[in-house]
Amino acid sequence: EYSTRYSEAIDDKQETDFSEWRAQSSINKQGSEGSISWPENEDDIVIPGSKNSGAGVYLSARERDFHRSAQSLYRERLAFGVAREQARKDLPLSTYTEAYWKIDLHNLLHFLRLRMDSHAQLEIRQYANAIAEVVKE
C-alpha cells in the first residue's frame, strides 16, 4: 500500500453525497439501514444548520469543511518541514491510497461474490463492482 510515511498523501478523499448518508441498523451492529434525520437533541450539532436543506446536505457540507481543514493542516506541517510520518497523523481515514494485490482468480471471484452481494456494505459493493469491471475485460 502507498505509504504516507515515505511519500506525501494523495490529495483526494472519499466524500459522501448528501443522499447517501444511512442510519445505523437497529438489528445489526455492523450494518446500516434507511435514512438519517436531524437529531431530536441538537446540542451535539456544532454549527447550526438549516433543517430545510436536510440532514444529509448539512453532513456533507461539514465533511467537505473537515477535509479542507485536515488537508490544509497537513500541507502546513509539510511546509514547516515536519516529518511526513508526523504530518499525516490527523488525515482522515477517507484519504485515498493506492494498493497492489497479488491474488489468484479463484479467491478474487470468491471476494467478488461476497462483496457484490446486496447484503454487503454499499461502499465495499461499489469497490467490488469496479474490480469486477476490470476482471470482465
Side-chain angles (χ1 to χ4, degrees), residues 117-132:
D117 185 83
S118 63
H119 296 95
Q121 180 182 343
L122 173 64
E123 292 80 4
I124 195 67
R125 277 199 325 263
Q126 292 170 333
Y127 182 63
N129 286 330
I131 292 171

Side-chain angles (χ1 to χ4, degrees), residues 31-43:
S32 57
E33 64 185 9
S35 59
I36 59 163
S37 59
W38 283 92
E40 291 180 21
N41 178 2
E42 294 187 32
D43 292 342

Side-chain angles (χ1 to χ4, degrees), residues 1-90:
E1 182 177 5
Y2 185 87
S3 173
T4 54
R5 182 174 187 185
Y6 304 108
S7 304
E8 288 188 22
I10 296 169
D11 188 14
D12 203 3
K13 293 160 188 60
Q14 179 185 3
E15 294 185 354
T16 308
D17 184 75
F18 74 93
S19 64
E20 292 179 347
W21 293 97
R22 302 180 304 276
Q24 178 63 46
S25 172
S26 58
I27 58 172
N28 182 349
K29 291 181 182 180
Q30 296 181 3
S32 57
E33 64 185 9
S35 59
I36 59 163
S37 59
W38 283 92
E40 291 180 21
N41 178 2
E42 294 187 32
D43 292 342
D44 292 333
I45 298 176
V46 178
I47 299 173
S50 169
K51 288 186 177 182
N52 294 336
S53 62
V57 170
Y58 172 81
L59 290 175
S60 290
R62 294 281 290 140
E63 180 181 63
R64 279 189 302 278
D65 291 344
F66 172 72
H67 286 170
R68 278 194 290 269
S69 179
Q71 188 64 30
S72 174
L73 178 60
Y74 174 70
R75 293 277 167 221
E76 187 176 76
R77 289 173 178 169
L78 292 178
F80 272 92
V82 172
R84 287 184 295 268
E85 64 188 59
Q86 278 188 305
R88 68 184 176 166
K89 74 180 187 72
D90 295 316

Side-chain angles (χ1 to χ4, degrees), residues 91-134:
L91 288 174
L93 290 173
S94 58
T95 302
Y96 284 153
T97 188
E98 295 176 0
Y100 296 89
W101 286 12
K102 184 175 181 180
I103 188 169
D104 61 57
L105 185 58
H106 172 79
N107 284 308
L108 177 59
L109 294 176
H110 180 67
F111 168 84
L112 293 175
R113 183 177 59 79
L114 292 174
R115 300 302 178 221
M116 292 172 69
D117 185 83
S118 63
H119 296 95
Q121 180 182 343
L122 173 64
E123 292 80 4
I124 195 67
R125 277 199 325 263
Q126 292 170 333
Y127 182 63
N129 286 330
I131 292 171
E133 289 302 314
V134 172

